[in-house]
Amino acid sequence: LKGNGWDFCFKRTRDVISILIRNKMLCANKELTLNEPELIHHYTNVLRLKVGEIIYILDGNGKKFHSQVEKISKNEITVLVKEMLESERKNVPDLLICITKRESFEDVIRASTELGINNIIPCNSKFSQKHSFNLDRLNRIIESAMVQSKNPFYPNIIFIL
């Protein structure tokens, strides 16, 4: 862009990408292969992940792994885990919430995950909405919020019905 005699140059920069991987034992100085088709498509085609790029891998238990992309192919992404950064959960409150309409409830789940709430406890009250929960959808919302906020802790959902 040119304006008033000044030349402006913009460089595209972005935050470090986070990936949530649960139920795998991760440790420093080891390679990790991601071979889930949905993840590969999302990270290579949507986020345009490149070889050599730095990423964080979250495990949901408070550990964040500083990693680097080693190889990208059509069927897998190979990542080298460089170091483990352990987070400590400090005086985090629990959230007791009466069940609201579905969309509002999902917004509360998303926001409380981003804030780092430890336990989310939905309960019924006199004026609560009556609807069933799709646990798979709630888990996807939580995982998405964790990755977006880089929160390394996966909240517990405890139902009181």
Side-chain angles (χ1 to χ4, degrees), residues 20-22 58-63 89 146 151-155:
L20 175 67
I21 297 179
R22 300 183 73 199
L58 309 173
D59 74 344
N61 295 321
K63 293 179 185 152
R89 190 171 267 196
M146 282 181 64
N151 174 16
F153 293 101
Y154 197 92

Side-chain angles (χ1 to χ4, degrees), residues 135-146:
L135 288 178
D136 289 336
R137 178 161 172 76
L138 288 180
N139 284 328
R140 282 194 312 269
I141 290 169
I142 289 171
E143 290 172 2
S144 171
M146 282 181 64

